[in-house]
Amino acid sequence: MNGTTVYRLRPGWRLQWEEAQQRHVLLYPEGMVQLNDSAGAILSQLDGQRDVDTVIATLQVQYPDAPAAAIEQDVHEFLADATRQGWIHHD
């Protein structure tokens, strides 16, 4: 994975805010995954057009009190894990 890689949700999967649970969830044909705040923030940026560097920069603006290096590490670790889980893919 590099900074110019562009990710998107797997076809048939959808990110949604669940008001009752006060969290993002990832919906897929067989069920649902409840996401923590960090995962929801990252997945909400994956539109199939933004590359990894843009996602990181956007999150750094949204969360200015968080250390930039921590955001970058969190994004890279989450993308690797979400790819292994089959939640996302890149072209």
Side-chain angles (χ1 to χ4, degrees), residues 14-27 32-34:
R14 182 169 46 100
L15 179 67
Q16 176 176 304
W17 175 257
E18 279 293 319
E19 190 64 36
Q21 298 175 29
Q22 289 294 298
R23 69 176 55 218
H24 281 99
V25 296
L26 189 55
L27 302 173
M32 173 180 72
V33 176
Q34 293 184 9

Side-chain angles (χ1 to χ4, degrees), residues 15 24-25 35-45 59 63 78:
L15 179 67
H24 281 99
V25 296
L35 303 170
N36 64 27
D37 292 340
S38 178
I42 295 167
L43 279 177
S44 70
Q45 299 298 313
L59 293 172
Y63 302 97
F78 176 79

Side-chain angles (χ1 to χ4, degrees), residues 61-73:
V61 170
Q62 288 180 353
Y63 302 97
D65 294 336
I71 290 175
E72 183 174 356
Q73 181 178 349

